[in-house]
Amino acid sequence: MDNLDVMTLADDLTISAEAIIKHQQFLDSKRIYAVLDYMQVLNRPINEYFELTQEQYYEEEADHKLTLQNLDQPIKATTDRILTNHVDGFVNQGEINFTYNHEDPFAEGKYDRKVDFHVLSYGLKVIGAVVPVIGVEALKQHVSKDAILSLGLATYALEHQA
């Protein structure tokens, strides 16, 4: 795996957007999880987070951007997502600023695949534009852990929700 794989994954997801949203095309979650693990932003492999309680994640690793309301529930039950929506700054000066907003794929009372797909594909596109320039080691210093976890949560939900 290399730094361009993040950007390539984002592009591949964009090409397949409609089919994935309509649940007509297989979502390669293993590939997505491999890219998230490659970035090494989180302390452990993404698959190990889904069964942690929200409280465990909150106390051990969260950067407190996610809204965790049911601390006794597994993190996979979290309905809040952090969308990475913009990056700016000066790479040569080490000043990189990501901006985020909250998304809730369950806001209308039922699961909206389009919201999670947007969190996943757009977040990967923004992050993927930076990784080839600064590398994964520098990325860890600038991107939110909760935003990376949100990419995993979106992937998990797209795979497991109807």
Side-chain angles (χ1 to χ4, degrees):
M1 185 156 302
D2 66 34
N3 291 340
L4 291 176
D5 287 337
V6 182
M7 192 166 38
T8 303
L9 174 59
D11 291 344
D12 291 349
L13 286 170
T14 301
I15 290 167
S16 303
E18 189 174 330
I20 291 171
I21 290 168
K22 290 181 178 179
H23 220 305
Q24 297 170 337
Q25 182 174 327
F26 170 74
L27 178 70
D28 190 353
S29 59
K30 287 182 181 179
R31 180 179 175 204
I32 296 166
Y33 295 155
V35 165
L36 297 179
D37 291 344
Y38 169 74
M39 289 190 269
Q40 300 176 353
V41 173
L42 297 171
N43 294 345
R44 53 180 100 188
I46 189 70
N47 279 323
E48 293 182 15
Y49 286 88
F50 302 129
E51 297 303 323
L52 287 179
T53 65
Q54 293 176 26
E55 182 174 33
Q56 285 174 295
Y57 176 72
Y58 184 84
E59 290 178 357
E60 294 173 12
E61 190 167 353
D63 51 27
H64 310 293
K65 291 184 181 1
L66 271 174
T67 302
L68 301 173
Q69 297 179 328
N70 300 306
L71 296 178
D72 61 329
Q73 296 292 312
I75 198 74
K76 68 184 176 188
T78 303
T79 60
D80 188 30
R81 307 285 191 262
I82 301 300
L83 170 66
T84 306
N85 61 19
H86 183 72
V87 63
D88 62 24
F90 302 96
V91 173
N92 61 341
Q93 297 172 17
E95 294 178 21
I96 299 163
N97 305 300
F98 287 95
T99 56
Y100 310 97
N101 61 283
H102 291 267
E103 297 290 335
D104 184 349
F106 297 90
E108 301 295 320
K110 67 176 196 161
Y111 182 61
D112 186 346
R113 292 179 62 80
K114 191 173 188 177
V115 172
D116 261 344
F117 184 83
H118 182 68
V119 167
L120 177 61
S121 63
Y122 199 80
L124 283 172
K125 191 167 284 294
V126 172
I127 295 166
V130 175
V131 171
V133 178
I134 67 170
V136 292
E137 198 58 42
L139 179 70
K140 291 189 262 188
Q141 300 168 20
H142 300 285
V143 74
S144 164
K145 287 179 177 265
D146 288 0
I148 299 299
L149 179 66
S150 291
L151 298 174
L153 291 171
T155 303
Y156 186 90
L158 284 165
E159 185 178 32
H160 293 94
Q161 293 285 332

